[in-house]
Amino acid sequence: MGVDKKILVIPGDGIGQEVTAWGQKVLQTIAENYKHNFVFEEGIMGHVAIEATGNPLPDETLEKARKSDAILFGAIGHAKYDNDPTLKVRPEQGLLKIRKELGLYANLRPIKLFDELLEASSIKPEILRGADILFFRELTGDVYFGEKKRSEDRNTASDLMIYHRYEVERIARKAYEAARSRRKKLCSVDKANVLEASRLWREVVQELAKEYSDVETEHMFIDNAAMQLVKDPKRFDVVLTANLFGDILTDEASQIAGSMGMLASASVGDSTGFYEPIHGSAHDIAGKGIANPLASILSAALMLDISFGLKTESLRVIKAVEATLKQGFRTMDIANKHTENHLVMGTDAMGAKVLENLN
């Protein structure tokens, strides 16, 4: 029996508008093939929302989000904000607010390498082969949400790194539960040798480890974890870490997958799920039709699995992506210029190939 779901699509800025269209088309195709009823609405957020309403997250979009079963998101950002840090209203404020308002405290980022992309990474294939990591990044605490100050003379600034025990515990539990269904290994990343917030983090994880004695728990400082991630990625299974550290580590881990254009993510709490590629708005290539749509398509696969419990359909999407790569089709970011049998194509052509393999 098919399922009925309401999906809010927020393309956002830059290439977000180009790639999200293909994530939505994949969901529509799955709905048709498996007799599901997916109803789509669209909302605005980020730079486009500021231009239209003065607000990076309009009330109308937030209300639609609250009523949705899941959200497919693109990206936010614009060069004008990068070049002028004094601007008070910024696209990122919309993203932080929707995470907070929807209680999206856990960001899941699977780093799974397709064998066909071993040569796309700058890391040696023999180091990469077999890497399969699932990151759990805490999403609503840390310096991103702590009190921010700037002195009157504008010469001193501070951001409060703050965590409460319950914030650490709830994401740690999700990470441990996931580890139980994988290789039963969890690495908690912190900086407990110098940061009090990290000491609380480690203390809570150590307490929970007793409840999950069937999972091997390892603690690692962020600087060492950053090194080990590129030195021996296969050693990691589930990685649990705070907001700031997780932001940095998962972007670093994009080199394992070959490109940010291959990495999907899910932001979840206890209700609506929020699914997005980890790449940004990439305004330098926006409108050129060359962005990689696979991360958005794989984000749709995550939605099918995590929010809707449609594991068969999710795997079908992943297999369609894998088949497309095996056929030699590539966007520019994952093409190996030394391989003659790679056919480099644009966003729409790549998305269309995945749809062909999905049918």
Side-chain angles (χ1 to χ4, degrees):
M1 181 181 295
V3 300
D4 294 300
K5 297 294 180 181
K6 183 179 289 186
I7 301 170
L8 176 62
V9 180
I10 307 177
D13 304 322
I15 64 168
Q17 301 187 17
E18 302 168 44
V19 300
T20 307
W22 287 103
Q24 181 174 345
K25 287 177 182 178
V26 162
L27 289 170
Q28 289 170 328
T29 301
I30 286 291
E32 293 167 5
N33 292 350
Y34 289 86
K35 310 303 180 187
H36 300 307
N37 180 33
F38 295 164
V39 177
F40 295 90
E41 280 195 291
E42 187 163 319
I44 58 173
M45 189 167 83
H47 171 68
V48 294
I50 294 173
E51 293 290 294
T53 70
N55 186 345
L57 178 61
D59 292 341
E60 182 182 358
T61 299
L62 182 57
E63 187 59 27
K64 288 180 180 179
R66 294 188 196 280
K67 295 178 179 178
S68 299
D69 294 300
I71 299 163
L72 182 67
F73 177 65
I76 55 166
H78 193 278
K80 69 177 285 186
Y81 306 94
D82 299 334
N83 297 329
D84 187 356
T86 66
L87 291 173
K88 299 298 184 183
V89 179
R90 310 181 66 82
E92 295 80 7
Q93 293 166 346
L95 187 57
L96 293 177
K97 183 177 179 180
I98 200 169
R99 289 171 178 171
K100 200 73 171 180
E101 291 291 330
L102 297 181
L104 305 175
Y105 60 82
N107 182 239
L108 283 64
R109 293 190 176 184
I111 312 293
K112 185 173 175 61
L113 176 68
F114 290 94
D115 286 344
E116 292 74 23
L117 296 183
L118 279 169
E119 299 294 338
S121 174
S122 57
I123 304 173
K124 295 177 180 177
E126 59 268 27
I127 294 175
L128 289 177
R129 187 175 280 108
D132 183 359
I133 309 169
L134 179 57
F135 279 89
F136 276 77
R137 168 192 169 194
E138 200 288 324
L139 207 57
T140 57
D142 212 339
V143 294
Y144 294 178
F145 291 92
E147 183 181 4
K148 304 175 186 307
K149 292 182 179 180
R150 180 73 75 93
S151 63
E152 290 186 9
D153 62 9
R154 310 294 291 174
N155 292 326
T156 305
S158 66
D159 296 270
L160 180 63
M161 177 180 281
I162 182 170
Y163 267 115
H164 299 91
R165 181 175 296 272
Y166 78 91
E167 292 175 308
V168 183
E169 182 175 340
R170 66 185 180 181
I171 189 170
R173 286 193 181 279
K174 282 189 176 293
Y176 270 115
E177 292 295 335
R180 276 181 165 170
S181 66
R182 291 170 55 93
R183 288 186 283 141
K184 293 183 169 59
K185 294 176 61 178
L186 182 143
C187 179
S188 178
V189 176
D190 59 37
K191 192 61 176 173
N193 54 338
V194 293
L195 297 175
E196 195 62 37
S198 279
R199 294 188 186 107
L200 172 64
W201 183 281
R202 183 170 294 208
E203 178 184 314
V204 173
V205 175
Q206 285 174 332
E207 291 171 0
L208 280 180
K210 298 172 185 176
E211 296 182 33
Y212 295 90
S213 57
D214 55 320
V215 176
E216 176 188 338
T217 301
E218 178 182 21
H219 298 275
M220 190 177 291
F221 294 143
I222 174 64
D223 39 0
N224 184 30
M227 179 184 69
Q228 295 296 334
L229 194 58
V230 293
K231 181 182 179 182
D232 185 18
K234 291 191 291 290
R235 68 170 291 165
F236 296 105
D237 180 19
V238 172
V239 176
L240 166 68
T241 192
N243 205 344
L244 175 62
F245 299 154
D247 194 358
I248 296 167
L249 285 180
T250 51
D251 280 8
E252 179 191 9
S254 68
Q255 275 305 295
I256 295 173
S259 167
M260 279 190 180
M262 291 300 302
L263 295 184
S265 76
S267 299
V268 300
D270 299 318
S271 56
T272 304
F274 187 93
Y275 298 85
E276 61 178 313
I278 79 163
H279 61 66
S281 53
H283 278 271
D284 56 327
I285 63 170
K288 296 182 179 180
I290 60 175
N292 188 343
L294 296 184
S296 182
I297 290 170
L298 291 169
S299 294
L302 275 181
M303 179 190 295
L304 292 168
D305 182 4
I306 297 173
S307 278
F308 301 164
L310 301 175
K311 294 187 181 299
T312 298
E313 290 88 332
S314 176
L315 184 60
R316 184 72 192 86
V317 174
I318 295 170
K319 291 295 184 183
V321 170
E322 186 175 33
T324 303
L325 295 173
K326 283 183 177 179
Q327 291 163 354
F329 299 113
R330 301 287 188 273
T331 45
M332 289 182 61
D333 58 309
I334 53 174
N336 185 342
K337 58 186 176 183
H338 303 297
T339 304
E340 294 181 0
N341 64 347
H342 283 180
L343 180 59
V344 180
M345 51 181 46
T347 308
D348 291 345
M350 191 68 161
K353 287 296 179 183
V354 175
L355 286 188
E356 285 180 19
N357 286 313
L358 198 55
N359 288 314

